[in-house]
C-alpha cells in the first residue's frame, strides 16, 4: 500500500468506530456554524448535555453516590466526542465498545461492593495519542507507525495510574506529525480545528485534546509539552492546562519523538475546563508515588498550599520585544492584571536578564539538534512527505536545518540552558526588592501566544517565545482562560507602528472578524516544581476574574 | 614556559605554602614507614593529636562551648594536613594563612556575640580541587588550568553553604587529570598515595580527599563521583563516603570535566571517617534548601529516618561474574553479612536482570562519548601528554576510542540507561517476594572494588563494575569501612580456577604482603534519592560491626 492508502484507511477506520446513529448528515460550513459548542448540544439529549457539562469532581461524586452510573456517563461523553470529532477531527483512536465494557465492570463492582475502585471511578478521561494503551496504535502523526498496536508491556505508567483510580478511556487524540508543531496537522488526519471558531487551528501539539476538551467531548485529558504543546491548545480552547516541571508527572512509556534527547524533555500534564478537576487529577497522580515505577520522577510528594499570604505580587509579561500581541490577548492581560489589582494584589513588570527570544532561540536550536533526521527517517519509512508545519518550526519553509556537527555543541546547549535558569532564578529572587510584600513575586502572568490562534496553514507567522521560554527554564505553568475575542471590542490599533517586518506581518494578520469568539487566556507561572502553587495562583486569578 | 615548567612551578608553589617548621627532614621510604598515621601523630603535639582525632560533631560542640577555639582547631588540622601532604601528595592548594584569618574572625564573632555563626563554626573542611574558591585555581589535574584563579562570581554553591555554616577552608585536594580515573595522577603532582599503605594508590578521582581525610588531615571533605570517584578513595582509606543521587547535593559552579554532558552526571558528596559527621553535613546542606540557588537540585527536603522496622533485609553482591574479588574484600563482605545476620537481619543474594558488567559498559561508553576530545583539546593547550590512567579508562592503553559518530548514539545511551533503571527498579521491588519482612530488600551490600587498592601504575587491571553500575542506576550509596587487609588471614586461594584471562591476571596480582594494612569496605546501597536511608543503613552496619 502507498502511504496515502495507509493514511486513508486509518482515518476511515477511526471514523467507522462511530456508531451510525451518531453520524452527522452533513458537516456544516464554518459560515453556517463557526462555534460548534451549541450545535453539538442540540444533537444531545438533555441528560447527555447535563453530564457532559459536569466537572470531574461532580461526576465522580455523583457516581460514588449512585446518582449516575459509569456507563451512562461514558456513553454521554462518547456521544459528545463523536460529534466533536466529526466537526474538528480531534480523535485518532476511538474505542467506545471497550469503554462501555470497562464502565459496566465498574458499575458491577460498585453494585457488588457498595464503593468505588478509586476517586475517578467511571470518569471518562481522554489521552493524547502518545499515551500507550494495549492493542492500540500510538502513531504520533506518522503513517509509518499506523497499525502497530501496543503490547501490554508498553502501557504508559500514567494510563495505569488513571485506570487504577477508576478512569475510563474511550478515545486517543490527534497530534501533529512527531508532535513537533503548535498546529495539529498530519498526513493522516489533516488539520484539527478549533471548536470555538472553526476558522482557526486548535493549536498543538496537543490539539486533539484541546479541541475535544474544549468541545466538552471529554472532561479532562492529557497532553504533552516541550515548547507549548499543552499550553497553546489549552489557551486556544479556553482551558486550564498544566505544564509541570520535568517529570513531576510520569512520562514513562509514553511514546515520543526524540524520546531520549536529554537536554530538554517534554512533560505530560492534564488539560481541563475546570481548575478543581486539574488539581484533583494532578494530586491523585502525585499521591500515587509515581517515582516508584518511573526512575525519572523526583520523589516530591504533593504539598498542599496552605496559609498562603493574602496579598500577592505578580510579575507580568506583556510582550517579547519582537512584536506586539493581538488585541484580544492584550485585553486578556489587562483584564487579568486589573482583576488581580482589584483584589488587592500587586502586579509589577517582569524584566528578566535573559530575553524570551533568547530562550526561544535556544529551545529551537535544541529541537533541531539532529537536523530533524529522526523525522526525515521516520517519514522515509512510509514515503510520506514532511508536513509543512515541521518545516515552519525549522524557521525556513524550504529546508530543514543542519543540526549540530559535534556532540560538544549539544552539551553547549545544556550549558546555556543551565546558565539561563540560574540567571532568571536569581532575577526572580531579586524581585523581593521591588514588591511591597517583601517576597519575590509569587507568580508571573504572561501571554501564551501572540494571538488567539491562527488559520491552520499560517503557523509560520508566530513565535514560540512565550511558551518555550518556560520549557527552557522548566518552570511550572497553568494556563488560565480569561475572555473571548470580540470583534467589536478588539479592534485594530491603527496608530501602532510595527517594530519589524515580522511584527508588521503579524499585525496585518489580525482581522477582528476572523478571530471573533476565540478564547483568550494567559499563563500563570511559578518557579520549578511548584505545581501546587501554580494551580493555587491560577485559582486566585480565576476567582479574581469571577 | 613549557608545560613541565608550569607544572613544576605549581607544585613547588603549593609545597612552599607549608611553613618551614612543619617540613619533614626526609620522607621515609615505604619500607621504613608503610602506614603514615602513627608517623604523623609522632610529629604532632598532644593537643593536635586530640583535636585531629575528634569528629566534626565533637569539634563543633567544643567550639560552641568555648572549650576549643576555631584558630587552634584550624592550626591543628593545617599541621596534620601539611604532614599528610608531604607523605602522600594529597593537596593541590594550600592556604593556611587565609584559614587562620577566617578562624580568628570566627573566634572574634563568638567572643563578641556569645554564639556561633552556624553548626560548623570553626570546623576545617577540605575540598576536592573542583570546588571553586575565590582567588584559587581549580586546575582539575590539567597544566593548562594552572594559574587561572577563580573570581568571586565563580565560587561554588556548596562552598557558600559550608562557609555560611561556619566551615573553615584551608586546602584543596588533588585529582587525576580531568577526574576521569580511579587513580589520582596528573602531570603536575604525580600519584597521590594511600596513607595506610604507601605501596598503594589512594584511589580516585577524589584521591586527594581520600588520602587527606584518611590521614586525619581533615575531619571531612568533599569529593565527586561519576563512576566511583567518591566511593573508591573512601573505601581505600576506610571512610564513609556518600554518593547521593543526581544533584541531591548542589554541584552548581563546581568545575568539572564534561560539565554539561547530560546523559550521566557526576555528583558531589562528603567523605568522612565518622558516619555521624557525614549525616550532620549532608543534612545541613539539604536543610539550606540548595534548590533555591541551583536549578538542577530537586526540592526534596531532609526526611529523617524514624520508626524504621527493626528487622531488615539486605541484598548482597559478592561478584560481578567477570572475576573474583581479592581475599580481603571477600572477607569484608563476609564480616558484614555475618554481622547483619547476627543482629537478626536477613541477607539474600542480589541477582539483578541487568548485570554489573552491562551497566559498566554503558557507563564507559558514555564517558567516551566524544572520544575524549575534551581531554585531548585541554592537554593540547599546554602540550602536556595525556596521563596513562585516562588511556586505561578507554580500555586500551594504546589509543583513545572513537566516540560516537552521531548524536542519536548519545540519545541511545540515555535510552539504555533509563531502561536499565526501570528493569533494576522493578527487580528491587520484586524482592519483596523473597524476604521474610514482606518488604523489598531495604538495601544492598556490595564490594566497591575488586581489591583494597592497587599499585599506582596498575589501574588497568581493574573494572569499574561495582561502582559505575550505581551511577547508571543513580542509587544512593554510602561506603562503609569493615576491616583491614591482613596478610596472615587474607591468604591466596590457591584452589580457585580463574574464569577468564582477566580474572587470572587479577588473582595473580594479589600478594598478601603488598596489601597488608589497607582498609577494606563495602557499599551500602538504597534506591534513588534515599540518601537518608543509605546513611541510616550504613549506621546499622556500623553498629552491627561494633
Amino acid at each position: 500500500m502507498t502511504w496515502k492508502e495507509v493514511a486513508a484507511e486509518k482515518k476511515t477506520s477511526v471514523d467507522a468506530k462511530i456508531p451510525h446513529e451518531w453520524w452527522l448528515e452533513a458537516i456544516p460550513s464554518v459560515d453556517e456554524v463557526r462555534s460548534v459548542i451549541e450545535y453539538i448540544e442540540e444533537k444531545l439529549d438533555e441528560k447527555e448535555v447535563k453530564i457532559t457539562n459536569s466537572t470531574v469532581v461532580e461526576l465522580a461524586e455523583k457516581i460514588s453516590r449512585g446518582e449516575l452510573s459509569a456507563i451512562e456517563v461514558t456513553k454521554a461523553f462518547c456521544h459528545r466526542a463523536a460529534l466533536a470529532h466529526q466537526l474538528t477531527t480531534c480523535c485518532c483512536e476511538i474505542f467506545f465498545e471497550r469503554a462501555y465494557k470497562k464502565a459496566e465492570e465498574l458499575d458491577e463492582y460498585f453494585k457488588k461492593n457498595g464503593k468505588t475502585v478509586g476517586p475517578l471511578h467511571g470518569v471518562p478521561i481522554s489521552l493524547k495519542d502518545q499515551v500507550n494503551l494495549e492493542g492500540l496504535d500510538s502513531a504520533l502523526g506518522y503513517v509509518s507507525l499506523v497499525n502497530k498496536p501496543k503490547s501490554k508491556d508498553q502501557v504508559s505508567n500514567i494510563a495505569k495510574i488513571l485506570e487504577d483510580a477508576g478512569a475510563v478511556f474511550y478515545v486517543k487524540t490527534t497530534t501533529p506529525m512527531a508532535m513537533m508543531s503548535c498546529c495539529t496537522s498530519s498526513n493522516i488526519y489533516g488539520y484539527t480545528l478549533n471548536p470555538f471558531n472553526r476558522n482557526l487551528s486548535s493549536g498543538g501539539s496537543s490539539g486533539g485534546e484541546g479541541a475535544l476538551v474544549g468541545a466538552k467531548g471529554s472532561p479532562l485529558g492529557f497532553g504533552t509539552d516541550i515548547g507549548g504543546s499543552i499550553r497553546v491548545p489549552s489557551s486556544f480552547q479556553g482551558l486550564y492546562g498544566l505544564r509541570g516541571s520535568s517529570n513531576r508527572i510520569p512520562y514513562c512509556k509514553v511514546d515520543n519523538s526524540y524520546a531520549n534527547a536529554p537536554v530538554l524533555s517534554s512533560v505530560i500534564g492534564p488539560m481541563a475546563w475546570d481548575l478543581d478537576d486539574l488539581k484533583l487529577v494532578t494530586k491523585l497522580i502525585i499521591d500515587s508515588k509515581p517515582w516508584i515505577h518511573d526512575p525519572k520522577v523526583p520523589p516530591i510528594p504533593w504539598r498542599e498550599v496552605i496559609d498562603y499570604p493574602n496579598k500577592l505580587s505578580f510579575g507580568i509579561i506583556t510582550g517579547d520585544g519582537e512584536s506586539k500581541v493581538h488585541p484580544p490577548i492584550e485585553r486578556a492581560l489587562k483584564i487579568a492584571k486589573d482583576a488581580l489589582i482589584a483584589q488587592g494584589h500587586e502586579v509589577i513588570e517582569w524584566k528578566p536578564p535573559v530575553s524570551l527570544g533568547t530562550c526561544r532561540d535556544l529551545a529551537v536550536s535544541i529541537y533541531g539538534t539532529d537536523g530533524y533526521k529522526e523525522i526525515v527517517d521516520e517519514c522515509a519509512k512510509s514515503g510520506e512527505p514532511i508536513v509543512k508545519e515541521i518545516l515552519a518550526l525549522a524557521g525556513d519553509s524550504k529546508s530543514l536545518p543542519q543540526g549540530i556537527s559535534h556532540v560538544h555543541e549539544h552539551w553547549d546547549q545544556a550549558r546555556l540552558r543551565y546558565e539561563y535558569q540560574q540567571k532568571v532564578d536569581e532575577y526572580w529572587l531579586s524581585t523581593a526588592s521591588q514588591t511591597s510584600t517583601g517576597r519575590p513575586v509569587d507568580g508571573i502572568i504572561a501571554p501564551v501566544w501572540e494571538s488567539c490562534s491562527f488559520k491552520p496553514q499560517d503557523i509560520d507567522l508566530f513565535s514560540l517565545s512565550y511558551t518555550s521560554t518556560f520549557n527552557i527554564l522548566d518552570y511550572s505553568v497553568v494556563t488560565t482562560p480569561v475572555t473571548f475575542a470580540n470583534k467589536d471590542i478588539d479592534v485594530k490599533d491603527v496608530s501602532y507602528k510595527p517594530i519589524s517586518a515580522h511584527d508588521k506581518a503579524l499585525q496585518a494578520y489580525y482581522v477582528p472578524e476572523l478571530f471573533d469568539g476565540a478564547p483568550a487566556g494567559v499563563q500563570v507561572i511559578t518557579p520549578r516544581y511548584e505545581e501546587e502553587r501554580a494551580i493555587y495562583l491560577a485559582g486566585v486569578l480565576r476567582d479574581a476574574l469571577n
Side-chain angles (χ1 to χ4, degrees), chain A:
Chain A
M1 286 211 290
T2 65
W3 71 263
K4 282 188 182 176
E5 288 164 341
V6 175
E9 191 187 82
K10 175 73 187 182
K11 183 165 187 339
T12 304
S13 81
V14 172
D15 295 342
K17 299 276 170 57
I18 296 175
H20 278 232
E21 63 272 25
W22 290 349
W23 284 13
L24 292 171
E25 276 173 36
I27 305 297
S29 72
V30 176
D31 287 340
E32 288 169 316
V33 180
R34 171 180 284 216
S35 165
V36 300
I37 312 294
E38 275 182 39
Y39 182 85
I40 286 173
E41 296 205 342
E42 284 162 15
K43 309 281 173 193
L44 300 172
D45 68 29
E46 205 181 320
K47 187 150 197 186
E48 288 172 325
V49 170
K50 196 165 176 209
I51 287 172
T52 56
N53 276 291
S54 303
T55 65
V56 170
V57 171
E58 289 164 350
L59 293 168
E61 200 175 297
K62 284 186 180 167
I63 293 171
S64 75
R65 288 202 302 254
E67 292 169 24
L68 283 174
S69 68
I71 187 71
E72 66 186 332
V73 169
T74 299
K75 281 191 171 164
F77 278 102
C78 287
H79 190 183
R80 190 156 183 156
L83 297 169
H85 173 65
Q86 291 174 76
L87 293 158
T88 66
T89 318
C90 56
C91 296
C92 60
E93 298 291 334
I94 289 179
F95 43 102
F96 296 158
E97 292 301 328
R98 177 166 156 171
Y100 299 161
K101 186 163 174 286
K102 172 78 184 175
E104 280 161 352
E105 284 168 13
L106 288 166
D107 284 335
E108 197 61 39
Y109 179 94
F110 183 76
K111 211 168 134 187
K112 197 171 157 191
N113 299 283
K115 60 174 187 181
T116 61
V117 301
L120 296 180
H121 186 107
V123 177
I125 299 283
S126 52
L127 302 168
K128 189 176 184 178
D129 193 29
Q130 293 171 258
V131 178
N132 293 340
L133 296 178
E134 189 179 354
L136 297 171
D137 291 348
S138 296
L140 318 182
Y142 281 120
V143 174
S144 54
L145 297 179
V146 159
N147 300 328
K148 295 196 166 53
K150 295 294 169 180
S151 70
K152 195 173 176 179
D153 284 349
Q154 293 174 303
V155 173
S156 303
N157 291 21
I158 187 87
K160 288 186 194 166
I161 293 168
L162 294 168
E163 205 157 34
D164 286 348
V168 176
F169 304 132
Y170 59 117
V171 289
K172 294 212 297 177
T173 56
T174 50
T175 74
M177 171 183 280
M179 286 85 61
M180 292 302 283
S181 170
C182 285
C183 179
T184 297
S185 99
S186 70
N187 292 318
I188 311 169
Y189 305 105
Y191 289 99
T192 299
L193 301 179
N194 192 315
F196 290 88
N197 181 337
R198 286 191 300 145
N199 286 308
L200 305 174
S201 167
S202 67
S205 68
S206 312
E209 278 305 315
L212 181 70
V213 181
K216 294 191 173 170
S218 164
L220 183 143
F222 279 82
T224 65
D225 190 318
I226 195 173
S229 286
I230 286 172
R231 291 163 289 162
V232 173
S234 291
S235 165
F236 286 11
Q237 266 86 203
L239 306 175
Y240 297 93
L242 171 66
R243 189 220 91 88
S245 299
S246 297
N247 296 297
R248 185 83 198 268
I249 298 182
Y251 214 105
C252 194
K253 297 191 183 176
V254 172
D255 273 17
N256 201 1
S257 289
Y258 298 104
N260 302 293
V263 176
L264 179 65
S265 303
S266 171
V267 303
I268 187 164
M271 300 162 62
W273 57 267
D274 184 84
L275 183 62
D276 295 336
D277 291 353
L278 193 86
K279 179 176 172 178
L280 171 82
V281 173
T282 304
K283 180 174 185 306
L284 175 153
I285 292 165
I286 293 173
D287 284 346
S288 80
K289 302 187 180 178
W291 49 87
I292 292 176
H293 294 287
D294 184 349
K296 288 189 179 174
V297 175
I300 307 169
W302 179 266
R303 300 151 306 178
E304 188 66 38
V305 175
I306 39 172
D307 296 332
Y308 207 81
N310 284 327
K311 174 161 182 179
L312 306 179
S313 288
F314 289 88
I316 192 165
I317 296 170
T318 53
D320 62 2
E322 297 180 353
S323 66
K324 192 164 108 99
V325 298
H326 281 177
I329 304 300
E330 198 172 19
R331 187 164 59 85
L333 287 164
K334 189 171 182 322
I335 291 172
K337 179 180 173 178
D338 292 348
L340 291 169
I341 290 172
Q343 292 297 314
H345 305 308
E346 178 177 64
V347 181
I348 66 175
E349 207 185 329
W350 178 259
K351 288 190 260 185
V354 184
S355 75
L356 304 189
T358 302
C359 288
R360 185 264 335 275
D361 288 348
L362 176 60
V364 171
S365 108
I366 297 170
Y367 305 147
T369 295
D370 75 338
Y372 298 102
K373 182 178 187 305
E374 179 179 302
I375 298 175
V376 171
D377 290 353
E378 199 60 49
C379 284
K381 290 180 189 168
S382 69
E384 70 172 318
I386 294 174
V387 296
K388 174 179 177 296
E389 285 69 24
I390 302 289
L391 300 169
L393 176 68
D396 174 356
S397 60
K398 293 191 183 59
S399 64
L400 291 164
Q402 195 58 53
I404 58 165
S405 58
H406 194 280
V407 72
H408 284 194
E409 293 170 47
H410 197 36
W411 299 346
D412 230 42
Q413 294 167 341
R415 177 183 61 76
L416 278 176
R417 186 183 185 206
Y418 191 37
E419 284 179 11
Y420 294 172
Q421 290 180 335
Q422 289 174 60
K423 283 183 187 167
V424 181
D425 284 6
E426 293 302 323
Y427 168 72
W428 190 309
L429 294 170
S430 79
T431 59
S433 68
Q434 294 171 58
T435 63
S436 63
T437 62
R439 298 190 304 276
V441 294
D442 299 289
I444 311 168
I445 306 294
V448 180
W449 195 256
E450 292 93 334
S451 190
C452 294
S453 179
F454 46 83
K455 285 185 284 181
Q457 304 276 350
D458 297 340
I459 193 173
D460 27 356
L461 263 174
F462 298 87
S463 151
L464 288 169
S465 61
Y466 297 107
T467 48
S468 62
T469 292
F470 300 101
N471 297 84
I472 290 293
L473 299 175
D474 205 20
Y475 288 169
S476 305
V477 186
V478 175
T479 57
T480 304
V482 175
T483 187
F484 293 85
N486 182 321
K487 65 182 172 183
D488 300 323
I489 305 173
D490 301 317
V491 294
K492 273 190 121 143
D493 177 2
V494 288
S495 70
Y496 176 69
K497 303 264 176 280
I499 56 172
S500 67
H502 163 246
D503 190 20
K504 192 175 173 184
L506 194 68
Q507 302 312 321
Y509 192 71
Y510 182 65
V511 178
E513 166 58 25
L514 174 68
F515 292 97
D516 192 51
V522 297
Q523 298 183 87
V524 176
I525 301 152
T526 63
R528 216 165 288 115
Y529 293 116
E530 292 280 4
E531 288 70 27
E532 298 90 338
R533 199 211 297 184
I535 293 171
Y536 176 81
L537 295 182
V540 168
L541 176 57
R542 174 197 60 188
D543 296 345
L545 292 169
N546 288 341

